[in-house]
Amino acid sequence: MFILKRGRYILLLMLVQSFEFIQTKQCNIPEDNEDIDWDNFPEAWYEVLHTFDPVMDKDVFGAKVHNFTKTSTGVNLIVTELHKNFPPQTFVVHDTRKKAGIYRLAQNDEPALEASQTLTPEGGRSGNAAKIDDALFSGDLLISSDEENYIIYAFCSYADEWVVWVFFPSMNPTIQQLTLMWNKLMEKGINVQLYLSESVKHSENFMGFNR
């Protein structure tokens, strides 16, 4: 069972906030990227950081991506998302590889993904979150990972702003893992402010999620 100690959370928060950044004014998916060996990919990753976009600011409180399966066209995976007042939402995502590090999501995955990511704590639907999902399905998705310490999902919103979701092998990433992730963002020219997932800040609400 996962229990995030108070001191550990404070340290993580201070570390995230300590990174200096210059907000990128234009969102451009880099051309030169690395391939990922999905055959040797870890079983599960947990969302720890995000750009506080309309999907992650209140609609989704935590996410787990798991069961990665390499296919002839790319990779399939299962996504489990946590919500405040509703049971976890689980759906399958099919990512089609365009070239190294660049993927497109299958259009038939959109209804299930949007049904989860636009769900609000009050039981309604977020139009702003739907716009983010529409941009995700309409453009390229950058997936960057060293296959051990972090996995970064990054794409451009319709407002030409970066949307970044960062996952780690646990909800307690080490300083080394955070530094490696941040260095990769800088290498890709992705300069954004990142925020802690609610599942990290309020781990008492998500017991048993990190297993």
Side-chain angles (χ1 to χ4, degrees):
M1 183 174 290
F2 169 76
I3 300 176
L4 184 69
K5 300 296 185 182
R6 178 70 176 172
R8 176 70 174 169
Y9 161 64
I10 293 174
L11 175 62
L12 178 58
L13 179 62
M14 291 176 62
L15 183 62
V16 170
Q17 292 179 338
S18 70
F19 285 112
E20 294 183 0
F21 74 100
I22 301 173
Q23 188 71 39
T24 303
K25 293 185 177 180
Q26 286 189 326
C27 182
N28 294 301
I29 301 291
E31 293 290 332
D32 187 19
N33 301 290
E34 307 80 25
D35 253 331
I36 297 174
D37 185 359
W38 298 107
D39 286 330
N40 297 317
F41 213 57
E43 170 65 16
W45 300 81
Y46 303 88
E47 185 200 36
V48 173
L49 299 169
H50 57 74
T51 42
F52 207 67
D53 54 87
V55 169
M56 297 300 175
D57 64 354
K58 67 176 182 178
D59 303 306
V60 177
F61 283 77
K64 173 182 176 181
V65 290
H66 50 111
N67 292 84
F68 290 82
T69 303
K70 183 179 179 180
T71 69
S72 60
T73 58
V75 62
N76 297 341
L77 62 143
I78 296 175
V79 180
T80 300
E81 293 182 338
L82 299 176
H83 298 267
K84 184 176 181 180
N85 298 321
F86 300 93
Q89 307 292 307
T90 297
F91 49 91
V92 179
V93 172
H94 306 80
D95 295 336
T96 300
R97 181 185 180 277
K98 291 184 62 179
K99 58 182 180 179
I102 304 297
Y103 293 80
R104 281 289 183 103
L105 272 66
Q107 293 295 324
N108 57 359
D109 292 338
E110 187 170 7
L113 185 146
E114 186 173 297
S116 176
Q117 295 193 349
T118 64
L119 183 64
T120 66
E122 299 76 25
R125 296 289 173 183
S126 168
N128 288 332
K131 291 178 182 178
I132 293 295
D133 285 341
D134 188 55
L136 171 60
F137 279 91
S138 298
D140 290 337
L141 170 65
L142 170 66
I143 305 179
S144 183
S145 175
D146 66 355
E147 303 170 12
E148 180 180 359
N149 294 292
Y150 63 84
I151 179 170
I152 299 167
Y153 292 85
F155 60 98
C156 300
S157 73
Y158 286 138
D160 202 27
E161 296 176 343
W162 281 110
V163 178
V164 178
W165 302 331
V166 184
F167 293 74
F168 295 91
S170 79
M171 288 196 283
N172 281 323
T174 65
I175 292 176
Q176 179 185 16
Q177 288 174 325
L178 288 164
T179 301
L180 288 170
M181 175 277 302
W182 203 265
N183 288 342
K184 179 56 65 173
L185 284 177
M186 296 301 100
E187 176 187 315
K188 298 298 181 184
I190 303 175
N191 303 309
V192 292
Q193 180 68 66
L194 295 176
Y195 300 84
L196 288 175
S197 168
E198 290 293 325
S199 59
V200 176
K201 292 191 289 184
H202 301 289
S203 60
E204 68 277 6
N205 295 325
F206 305 107
M207 294 303 179
F209 180 57
N210 187 26
R211 65 182 180 184

